Amino acid sequence: MGPLQGIRVLELAGIGPAPFGCMLLADLGAEVVRVERATGASTIDGAGRAGSDPKKYVPHRGRRSIALDLKSPAGRDTLLALVERADALVESFRPGVAERLGVGPDVCLARNPRLVYTRMTGWGQSGPLADAAGHDINYIAVAGVLDNFRRTGERPLAPLNVVGDMGGGGMLLAFGIAAALVHAGRTGRGQVVDAAMVDGAALQLATTIGMRAQGRWPGAPGSNVSDSGAPFYEVYECADGRFIAVGALEEPFWDEFVKRLGVAPDSLPDRDDPTLWPEGKRRLAEVFGTRSRDEWAAVFDGSDACVSPVLSLDEAPHHPHAVARSAFIEVAGTVQPAPAPRFSRTPAAAPTPPPPRGADTEAVLRDWGIGDLAVEGTP
């Protein structure tokens, strides 16, 4: 099931964006085999943190796990035998590590010229920061993204790790692999994909940078049309301490918003005058403070006012829209997002839970036609 059925992907175990990108591929039907270390800490949710349950780590769903010692000749030879049968390989080491292990792109492409060899890093394979450590917050800081996540006069607030790790990293990785697979299918030639989180984070600024070039994003962070500057694109606290999100950008949506809000249009400052935006936000904050979040959600439900309740992680799966679309599923007792996007001819199957490290070593080697080659390189 899924449009990537028949595609084989080797994932050299890493953390953060690489597992997420490989989860996307597995969700859409690719056979993803996670290659874990045969000894030492398991890369479960960072570094095998104490108390973590690998079966609950959602980004590892939908694939099988094998364990190899890539520092041993037998483990390396086994991986290269798998490479000969794979369509793509994903590694997230620092630059040069794969080469030192003897499984760099030159070696792997020599064994399989059709291979899509994908390298997932924060800074990329070149540049003065290529060898430096970093995390999501560092990559989005240098890319120019983080500075924009703040209100006027406040310090930037890290948006979880969704912009760098997941959007700029994992999704970019999956997209790059899919594109390179199309090319390999047409030409019979693989290639190296350099997926860097700093690049992917910057890429997501395309619209904002374009608006700034046009003069439509003129202000400092927190003072523009959709970065909390405008009253019609803002989050407001309600009487119960919870929040409502307003996105009434265009005039027709604003008109519907004001109508549903129950105030006279002329009682609100001119929405087209940025100098009056602070007063407009103050006035709307007063109005939203008179009712609870769910009361306001009921007022705007089903309308074109572009108003939504701000839901928690625990609430989101139970929203009527999420329920109607089965947007969240339960896998082995863990509620998690369903595979996306959706396909009319090749729908994704329900994902399987993450396996324990090395649980599928013998089965994968057998299924991939390798036999006993890896005996010395496996636990």
Side-chain angles (χ1 to χ4, degrees), residues 202-350:
L203 195 62
Q204 293 173 84
L205 284 175
T207 297
T208 305
I209 290 173
M211 291 176 68
R212 192 167 185 84
Q214 295 172 333
R216 297 164 56 204
W217 196 273
S223 65
N224 299 285
V225 68
S226 60
D227 64 355
S228 81
F232 47 81
Y233 205 90
E234 179 59 289
V235 176
Y236 295 96
E237 186 173 0
C238 302
D240 57 353
R242 294 191 285 183
F243 300 92
I244 204 84
V246 176
L249 274 170
E250 292 82 5
E251 197 75 36
F253 304 147
W254 172 257
D255 292 342
E256 178 70 11
F257 166 70
V258 174
K259 177 183 175 182
R260 296 253 178 172
L261 196 65
V263 300
D266 58 5
S267 69
L268 297 174
D270 182 3
R271 61 168 260 145
D272 295 323
D273 184 350
T275 66
L276 299 178
W277 283 356
E279 174 59 22
K281 292 204 290 183
R282 185 194 66 77
R283 173 69 178 123
L284 290 179
E286 291 177 349
V287 176
F288 279 112
T290 63
R291 300 187 189 183
S292 70
R293 182 200 68 179
D294 291 345
E295 287 175 323
W296 281 119
V299 167
F300 292 102
D301 185 43
S303 74
D304 279 348
C306 303
V307 177
S308 306
V310 177
L311 302 180
S312 69
L313 290 174
D314 294 331
E315 291 176 311
H318 304 289
H319 187 276
H321 189 77
V323 172
R325 286 182 59 79
S326 300
F328 290 84
I329 57 175
E330 185 175 315
V331 179
T334 300
V335 176
Q336 55 198 265
R342 305 177 186 206
F343 297 85
S344 61
R345 293 188 180 276
T346 55

Side-chain angles (χ1 to χ4, degrees), residues 104-117:
D106 291 344
V107 173
C108 289
L109 283 165
R111 299 286 287 262
N112 180 358
R114 296 175 59 92
L115 184 73
V116 174
Y117 191 106

